[in-house]
Amino acid sequence: MTSTTDSSVPPVRPGGVAARAPAADGGSVDVPPGPAPVTGAAGGAAPDVPEGKAAPGGPRRSVGGWFGSVEVLAALLVLLIVFREQLAAALAGPRLQTWTTVFVSVLVQAVPFLVFGVLLSAVIAVFVPRSFWARALPRHPALAVPVASAAGVVLPGCECGAVPIAGSLIRRGVTPAAALAFLLAAPAVNPIVLAATAVAFPGAPEMVLARALASLVVAMIMGWLWLRLGRADWIRLPHRPELEGTSRGAAFWAAMRHDIIHAGGFLVVGAMAAASINVLVPERWLQTLADSPVLSVLALAVLAVLLSLCSEADAFVAASLSQFSLTSRLVFLVVGPMVDLKLISMQAGIFGRRFAFRFAPATFVVAVGVASLAGAVLL
């Protein structure tokens, strides 16, 4: 069989199309074919995109191209409806009913404060100019520390939102000591947290005052300690790429999603832990810890680090630990927003390990000491 291919046309290799280019003598030369370039919307070459991911600026693909978080949530709700009778029978036990009651009550009381705090935190992070804080603080570092600590009173938000804001302050020329004082004070003394504390402890209004004063004192002490002992090379500035290069509306929703996912997840874990402590830990064990002033303080301080609760929700968990004294629960409320597992990991990944491994233990010791003293005086 003879070939019908025109010999005047250069052969086409796999993966490309032959082409001719004008030569210097007026003729033409063959150009070795290669893969056809992929152009973008503006005519330029499109960037390489890994398989299974969307191109920059295009829609994100869910797992397998079909299932995303919304679909997974819908599937879980369908399963709950289908197996509701079996679940009702499993929850009929008295101990499990007690666990469910404590778990749901903590969530129901805490979620409104959490959502409101995250909403306001996103508004401030996106719509308030970052340079405002640099202009509002005194130039002298020692004076900027207490002012930055007190600024947390007007800035609602949880620990997750305070970290990027502290980084913005440092970028705008604020001394790191003042930014770190703000980082510690803002999650503990803002109006949302203090209102939640008042609701969680309706019979002990002095708890609100003790929490605010102790948290402010700890923040100022740590700021002044950083002025004395800290080193600038221990800090790597934080970065929130989802808030940059986008419109304000997109940045607002990105901040909302980030904070509500992180804070809400830890709230659920904390509510589960609080319910489990009330149900699984024998009452005599808790009473033994509660009867010892030193052990109760240390136990709840360590528990605050492990639970990693959002500051808008931790007061309701503390209120559920009714076996312990108000002083030990105050330690829980002061330590939690300043030192917990999620904050330590965030600080190590954002500011650097050398910073986190020095700052977190020092903050823990100062917070336990100051909160214990405040509880002995005010409660």
Side-chain angles (χ1 to χ4, degrees), residues 6-338:
D6 187 353
S7 59
S8 64
V9 179
V12 179
R13 300 179 194 176
V17 179
R20 288 183 178 272
D25 58 358
S28 61
V29 294
D30 292 336
V31 178
V38 179
T39 58
D48 293 335
V49 180
E51 184 177 357
K53 294 186 178 181
R60 294 176 178 267
R61 296 182 182 179
S62 56
V63 178
W66 294 95
F67 297 102
S69 57
V70 176
E71 289 77 9
V72 172
L73 177 61
L76 290 176
L77 292 177
V78 171
L79 290 176
L80 287 176
I81 295 174
V82 171
F83 296 102
R84 62 184 183 278
E85 295 183 359
Q86 292 85 342
L87 289 174
L91 295 174
R95 291 172 64 86
L96 200 51
Q97 285 184 342
T98 302
W99 187 95
T100 305
T101 300
V102 175
F103 173 74
V104 173
S105 64
V106 170
L107 286 183
V108 168
Q109 294 180 37
V111 163
F113 292 95
L114 174 63
V115 173
F116 188 53
V118 168
L119 175 65
L120 290 182
S121 177
V123 169
I124 294 172
V126 174
F127 296 101
V128 176
R130 295 178 177 180
S131 58
F132 167 79
W133 306 107
R135 295 195 305 267
L137 294 175
R139 293 184 178 275
H140 196 286
L143 297 178
V145 167
V147 175
S149 301
V153 175
V154 297
L155 185 61
C158 65
E159 309 90 300
C160 301
V163 171
I165 295 174
S168 299
L169 292 176
I170 297 175
R171 281 198 192 91
R172 297 298 183 180
V174 176
T175 176
L180 294 176
F182 172 85
L183 171 67
L184 296 178
V189 300
N190 69 71
I192 304 301
V193 171
L194 297 182
T197 306
V199 172
F201 293 90
E206 64 274 13
M207 179 69 84
V208 180
L209 176 63
R211 180 177 191 177
L213 291 179
S215 299
L216 284 173
V217 170
V218 173
M220 288 188 291
I221 290 176
M222 291 305 302
W224 286 326
L225 281 178
W226 181 266
L227 279 178
R228 180 71 176 174
L229 305 174
R231 292 171 50 182
D233 59 351
W234 289 348
I235 293 181
R236 289 184 303 150
L237 293 180
H239 181 56
R240 286 285 294 273
E242 71 272 15
L243 301 184
E244 300 177 2
T246 60
S247 65
R248 286 190 173 185
F252 172 79
W253 288 114
M256 279 282 295
R257 287 194 301 268
H258 175 274
D259 290 345
I260 200 68
I261 290 173
H262 282 72
F266 285 108
L267 170 60
V268 171
V269 173
M272 293 173 64
S276 300
I277 290 173
N278 278 274
V279 172
L280 300 179
V281 178
E283 181 68 24
R284 63 179 182 278
W285 291 9
L286 292 177
Q287 199 60 48
T288 300
L289 287 175
D291 290 341
S292 173
V294 176
L295 288 180
S296 62
V297 165
L298 293 178
L300 289 195
V302 173
L303 185 64
V305 175
L306 297 178
L307 291 186
S308 301
L309 293 174
C310 179
S311 58
E312 278 99 357
D314 58 359
F316 300 99
V317 176
S320 69
L321 302 173
S322 56
Q323 302 89 344
F324 293 87
S325 65
L326 286 178
T327 297
S328 58
R329 285 184 279 178
L330 174 63
V331 172
F332 178 89
L333 295 178
V334 173
V335 170
M338 298 184 178

